[in-house]
Amino acid sequence: MIEFHNVSFIYPNGFKALDEINLKIREGDLLALVGENGSGKTTLIKHLNGLLKPTQGKVFIFGRDTKELTVAEVSRYVGIVFQNSDSQLFSETVEDEIAFGLRNFGFSEEDINLRINFALRLFELEIYRKKSPFLLSGGEKKRLCMACILAWDPRFIVLDEPTVGQDFLEKEKLIQMIDLLRRKGKGIVIASHDIEFLWKLQPKMVVMKNGRIIAYSSAEEIFSNSSILDQSNLIPPQLVELSKHLSTKAFQTIEQAKEWIKKRVNV
Amino acid sequence: MKIVEFSNFSFSYDNGNYILKDMNFYVEEGWCVLVAGKSGCGKSTLLRCINGLIPKYYKGRYEGEVLVDGVRVIDYSMSELSKKVGTLFQNPDHQLFMFSVEREIAFGLENLGLDPSDIKDRVEWALDFLNLKDLAKRAPYELSEGQKQRVALASILVMRPKIILLDEPTSLLDPKTSLQLVNLLRNLKEKLKVTLIIAEHKLELFSPIADRLLVVHDGSIKAYHRVKEVLKNPSISSYGVSLPPLAQLSLFIEGFKEPSLTIDEMMKELRRFFNDRVS
Ligand SMILES: Nc1ncnc2c1ncn2[C@@H]1O[C@H](COP(=O)(O)OP(=O)(O)OP(=O)(O)O)[C@@H](O)[C@H]1O
Ligand SMILES: Nc1ncnc2c1ncn2[C@@H]1O[C@H](COP(=O)(O)OP(=O)(O)O)[C@@H](O)[C@H]1O
Ligand SMILES: [Mg+2]
Ligand SMILES: [Mg+2]
């Protein structure tokens, strides 16, 4: 479990980016952080592995204060994929990039090999094995960052804007993967502006504004609350918008919308 | 007038596989063209061929030609070309280097040697337009990713290029800011006849302003047509092009002439559809 107790954070230039955050994240949770640009999502995420430490308040990871832990210690349990992939990649080849974390955590060479193969296959990066990470496309870099984290199988998986650069098929696969990870009991935190993706995921949503949490609820409740949407620069997904126009309960899938229309036509 | 034209054009980085293969297409002045396709299909590469980064900075096998405003890209100096073509890159860090947001936006204008009062006006306009006023004195590297993206965009817009290339421009923007961006681009297109070429996955957002959708797969062009025309073809999703939910739904309803992209279009079609069935 990860716990935020009254966490505030002020950047060195004096900017207060988190303001009295209280939050519990458990294994098996699927949580989405949403909110306008600059609302504090990335800053919050950087507290999840101790990369940033609260100016006030405390963050506990499995009961231990992050102030007493190193980023390396925490990372074994909390894997983070950052918004900007370029800042996370540094190795000569794609396979070295994945191996780096694994070596740090002391996996055997044999195990490392198996895990690299698994991760490359999972994200369809096998053909780039010997390529420099810097020469990948934007979406490929993002997938490589995810592959690195999943290779060491952390208990919490944190993805800052995972759909950046991903096409529709990749997004579908990502949704399935997240689903599987959640069923395996992983705690998953995703920051995203991609509302159509979020609507398919149906996570619990944490809405941020000016460093505060202004709402914590199901996707359905958040996307049907016009005051929250307004305050946080969100717009409803197309299916929610459509069901509103048709005065019916929000369609979660296209199939549901199809069924609804079929019924209306038959009677 | 053809403002951008690819003819028999192929490119591969470092003599590897061809990323773009025998491409032939053109863009009329004032069009908005969306470029879609799988992750890694070559969207960013295609944009780099228009702004000259290919072949000036990225080396490789370069065959055929790319024309901008009637002149071959390779015959421009970078500074001449960059006056015509502004680019918003996929990662804003690649284009921000000044110490304050306002200096960042003014930088290109100062290089052009514009009048200080003109510079001031344009910077003010951009700060206002992109909601950056509160951040004017902040350092770009101390901003959130979405804020950086807006700064990068502001510094391009103030240069008033004839052609703007945007590489996944909304991937870092919140949904309302993304909508504002679309409206802003609509303005640029309608009022100033700016040509827009946009690599983007979120078709539901941009298709209302797009004249054409270009689908790239395995280095070649699989479709280049009006958006709705392209989306009608069911095989298009195998090229990684996402049908927005409403478009998917409308393809299922028999009697829809074309896929609906917006709620208004969908409702209009649905009403007609229900009326037909009821009467
Ligand atoms: N290194 C920094 N120094 C000072 N202020 C910063 C720094 N990084 C971020 N900020 C500020 O903190 C606030 C929160 O930033 P953060 O990156 O957490 O936002 P975000 O919600 O992730 O935004 P986005 O959706 O654009 O990614 C913003 O107002 C930003 O300008
Ligand atoms: N500088 C480079 N050197 C070598 N290969 C590259 C370089 N940049 C991109 N690539 C490769 O070219 C292909 C197309 O990349 P890109 O144009 O960035 O794709 P997209 O923008 O469509 O996701 C990818 O397979 C990528 O790995
Ligand atoms: Mg962020
Ligand atoms: Mg790209």
Side-chain angles (χ1 to χ4, degrees):
Chain A
M1 176 143 88
I2 304 178
E3 290 166 277
F4 283 62
H5 286 271
N6 282 319
V7 171
S8 296
F9 179 78
I10 300 175
Y11 277 105
N13 69 354
F15 188 89
K16 190 176 206 173
L18 293 181
D19 193 1
E20 304 265 326
I21 298 288
N22 285 294
L23 185 65
K24 282 198 176 82
I25 310 167
R26 293 177 187 79
E27 282 162 277
D29 278 354
L30 172 58
L31 212 66
L33 298 175
V34 297
E36 60 184 3
N37 290 133
S39 55
K41 302 178 294 294
T42 299
T43 308
L44 191 154
I45 282 177
K46 287 181 176 165
H47 281 77
L48 292 173
N49 70 351
L51 201 63
L52 294 178
K53 316 260 155 120
T55 312
Q56 264 165 46
K58 284 187 189 314
V59 177
F60 294 102
I61 292 175
F62 299 114
R64 296 179 62 191
D65 189 334
T66 54
K67 285 199 174 122
E68 288 147 21
L69 296 165
T70 64
V71 176
E73 284 172 299
V74 184
S75 296
R76 181 67 189 83
Y77 303 103
V78 183
I80 305 188
V81 175
F82 288 102
Q83 195 165 8
N84 188 338
S85 319
D86 286 333
S87 63
Q88 209 163 356
L89 300 169
F90 47 83
S91 302
E92 303 250 324
T93 66
V94 163
E95 67 178 351
D96 286 347
E97 193 69 58
I98 302 176
F100 180 84
L102 296 171
R103 291 213 173 92
N104 267 351
F105 295 131
F107 288 92
S108 72
E109 280 305 309
E110 195 186 355
D111 199 8
I112 288 177
N113 249 318
L114 290 173
R115 284 170 184 264
I116 291 176
N117 289 337
F118 160 79
L120 289 175
R121 216 171 321 121
L122 195 59
F123 289 97
E124 288 182 73
L125 294 166
E126 291 129 303
I127 51 166
Y128 300 129
R129 196 180 185 114
K130 301 282 180 201
K131 198 167 170 171
S132 157
F134 297 99
L135 302 181
L136 298 178
S137 80
E140 289 161 351
K141 282 181 189 165
K142 197 87 205 185
R143 297 212 298 283
L144 173 56
C145 291
M146 293 196 263
C148 290
I149 303 295
L150 288 188
W152 78 70
D153 196 29
R155 288 157 75 173
F156 285 91
I157 294 155
V158 184
L159 310 172
D160 201 345
E161 295 294 346
T163 63
V164 168
Q166 304 309 322
D167 60 66
F168 148 79
L169 299 167
E170 293 297 342
K171 283 190 203 179
E172 291 293 321
K173 263 186 274 165
L174 196 56
I175 288 172
Q176 283 168 17
M177 197 181 313
I178 291 169
D179 220 50
L180 184 71
L181 289 168
R182 174 157 60 158
R183 276 187 276 129
K184 279 172 70 183
K186 304 290 177 193
I188 301 167
V189 179
I190 295 173
S192 179
H193 295 300
D194 189 338
I195 47 186
E196 298 298 343
F197 171 75
L198 290 174
W199 187 244
K200 284 192 182 156
L201 268 186
Q202 292 286 325
K204 263 260 181 322
M205 290 176 59
V206 174
V207 185
M208 299 193 63
K209 185 180 171 73
N210 294 335
R212 289 175 164 270
I213 294 177
I214 60 165
Y216 181 98
S217 194
S218 69
E220 183 160 354
E221 270 179 48
I222 298 291
F223 281 121
S224 57
N225 184 331
S226 51
S227 137
I228 294 288
L229 296 181
D230 262 3
Q231 283 182 66
S232 52
N233 271 6
L234 285 169
I235 55 177
Q238 286 197 328
L239 287 177
V240 176
E241 192 89 314
L242 178 66
S243 36
K244 217 164 46 190
H245 275 77
L246 297 171
S247 317
T248 174
K249 191 174 143 27
F251 304 125
Q252 297 213 335
T253 61
I254 292 177
E255 292 311 314
Q256 285 179 9
K258 281 183 188 171
E259 283 307 310
W260 189 91
I261 292 170
K262 264 193 203 154
K263 265 197 203 127
R264 286 299 282 292
V265 173
N266 290 339
V267 286
Chain B
M1 204 198 89
K2 296 175 185 173
I3 188 118
V4 172
E5 184 171 12
F6 281 62
S7 73
N8 300 324
F9 182 78
S10 302
F11 179 76
S12 70
Y13 292 101
D14 295 330
N15 304 322
N17 295 334
Y18 279 115
I19 306 293
L20 304 177
K21 242 183 346 230
D22 203 28
M23 287 212 150
N24 285 290
F25 74 99
Y26 65 86
V27 177
E28 283 283 336
E29 177 158 29
W31 272 4
C32 170
V33 175
L34 303 181
V35 184
K38 284 191 176 167
S39 153
C41 76
K43 300 178 291 297
S44 301
T45 304
L46 187 129
L47 298 184
R48 285 177 197 142
C49 294
I50 303 172
N51 63 23
L53 286 181
I54 294 175
K56 294 264 157 52
Y57 295 111
Y58 293 90
K59 299 296 173 201
R61 196 161 31 175
Y62 188 97
E63 295 158 8
E65 42 193 41
V66 180
L67 304 175
V68 169
D69 219 359
V71 177
R72 291 193 305 182
V73 163
I74 51 171
D75 293 335
Y76 280 97
S77 70
M78 272 316 249
S79 70
E80 281 306 310
L81 190 56
S82 63
K83 272 185 216 157
K84 286 199 173 143
V85 184
T87 312
L88 183 72
F89 292 98
Q90 208 162 354
N91 182 348
D93 283 348
H94 294 170
Q95 57 198 119
L96 302 174
F97 43 84
M98 300 297 287
F99 296 106
S100 83
V101 166
E102 123 194 291
R103 298 274 303 125
E104 184 73 53
I105 301 173
F107 178 77
L109 298 171
E110 285 163 1
N111 273 357
L112 287 184
L114 288 189
D115 209 58
S117 72
D118 192 16
I119 294 181
K120 196 163 160 277
D121 287 350
R122 289 201 202 183
V123 172
E124 289 289 312
W125 169 85
L127 288 172
D128 196 34
F129 212 101
L130 289 161
N131 223 336
L132 290 167
K133 275 195 167 145
D134 294 342
L135 304 177
K137 308 278 179 219
R138 298 264 296 270
Y141 55 84
E142 291 178 344
L143 298 177
S144 82
E145 297 297 319
Q147 291 166 335
K148 284 183 199 167
Q149 179 92 323
R150 274 160 26 197
V151 175
L153 188 61
S155 53
I156 292 158
L157 291 182
V158 290
M159 302 288 284
R160 304 200 180 140
K162 277 176 96 157
I163 304 170
I164 302 182
L165 313 177
L166 302 108
D167 199 350
E168 307 200 13
T170 63
S171 58
L172 299 171
L173 299 180
D174 64 51
K176 233 175 239 151
T177 305
S178 302
L179 271 182
Q180 284 163 2
L181 171 68
V182 175
N183 287 329
L184 164 86
L185 295 175
R186 186 200 301 273
N187 263 330
L188 292 175
K189 175 175 137 73
E190 287 172 0
K191 303 220 171 88
L192 304 172
K193 282 202 93 185
V194 173
T195 305
L196 303 166
I197 303 177
I198 311 175
E200 187 49 72
H201 295 288
K202 292 180 194 149
L203 299 183
E204 66 277 8
L205 210 54
F206 284 88
S207 42
I209 64 164
D211 298 283
R212 290 288 183 279
L213 174 58
L214 178 77
V215 179
V216 181
H217 185 74
D218 275 344
S220 50
I221 297 175
K222 293 294 172 197
Y224 186 41
H225 220 291
R226 290 192 319 118
V227 181
K228 289 183 182 177
E229 217 51 58
V230 177
L231 295 187
K232 263 188 206 167
N233 179 353
S235 70
I236 213 71
S237 59
S238 60
Y239 303 136
V241 178
S242 70
L243 280 172
L246 288 182
Q248 272 184 55
L249 187 58
S250 56
L251 286 178
F252 143 85
I253 307 170
E254 258 174 77
F256 268 40
K257 282 194 276 328
E258 13 184 53
S260 305
L261 293 167
T262 63
I263 275 287
D264 292 344
E265 287 173 4
M266 183 82 196
M267 288 309 293
K268 214 165 102 199
E269 288 281 331
L270 267 182
R271 260 183 230 116
R272 202 178 47 73
F273 178 74
F274 284 133
N275 285 341
D276 285 355
R277 306 286 144 141
V278 173
S279 54

